[in-house]
Amino acid sequence: MKVFLFIVLSGLMTFGAITFSQQDELQESISRGQEIYTDFCINCHMANGEGVENTFPPLANSDYLKNNQEASIRGIKYGQKGEITVNGVTYNGNMAPMGLSDDEVADVMNFINNSWGNSIKGMVTEEQVTAIKK
């Protein structure tokens, strides 16, 4: 019984360590992403993520972001043209590609996914971004 309890507790501690490690990694990515957002995104999407009405779509509490993660990553990576509907409002603009590396795209996505009322589960990784093609 003692051996079984030891194995179970060891497994829980290991699982907990992985979870904390992943949480730390996400927090570091969010922090880097905030810096990238400030440098590249804030002029259009604003400091509060609310965008500019009828011009630049909001990222705050964004149904588009929540339901279209791959398209959102693609938009940051390659730019965005044409109509999209965000929170019931149609936008038809042009966002130029920012020239970010795949790890920077992942970081800024992690920041956006965890800011301004967005709570999108999971972590966007550089590998996920690399896999998304134009």
Side-chain angles (χ1 to χ4, degrees):
M1 180 67 174
K2 288 181 183 179
V3 171
F4 175 74
L5 185 57
F6 175 77
I7 292 170
V8 169
L9 290 176
S10 295
L12 288 174
M13 289 178 8
T14 301
F15 177 75
I18 292 169
T19 301
F20 291 132
S21 175
Q22 288 172 338
Q23 186 62 31
D24 288 345
E25 189 178 339
L26 176 59
Q27 289 306 314
E28 290 170 9
S29 177
I30 289 169
S31 180
R32 290 188 305 267
Q34 183 174 17
E35 290 179 31
I36 295 164
Y37 183 87
T38 300
D39 290 343
F40 291 90
C41 313
I42 203 167
N43 289 334
C44 298
H45 294 287
M46 305 289 124
N48 58 10
E50 292 182 2
V52 176
E53 189 174 355
N54 298 315
T55 306
F56 302 114
L59 302 174
N61 292 305
S62 170
D63 63 349
Y64 182 86
L65 182 68
K66 180 179 178 184
N67 297 320
N68 298 283
Q69 281 283 286
E70 187 173 319
S72 297
I73 293 168
R74 187 176 288 110
I76 294 170
K77 185 173 178 175
Y78 298 111
Q80 174 76 42
K81 258 188 198 179
E83 285 190 359
I84 61 169
T85 301
V86 182
N87 300 339
V89 178
T90 300
Y91 294 84
N92 189 8
N94 182 22
M95 182 175 89
M98 301 291 117
L100 300 175
S101 64
D102 289 351
D103 63 319
E104 290 172 322
V105 172
D107 288 341
V108 79
M109 278 295 296
N110 286 320
F111 170 69
I112 294 166
N113 281 346
N114 291 280
S115 300
W116 317 300
N118 297 319
S119 57
I120 297 166
K121 302 292 183 220
M123 180 173 166
V124 176
T125 65
E126 179 179 356
E127 293 77 21
Q128 287 174 294
V129 174
T130 300
I132 294 176
K133 303 301 176 199
K134 207 169 191 178

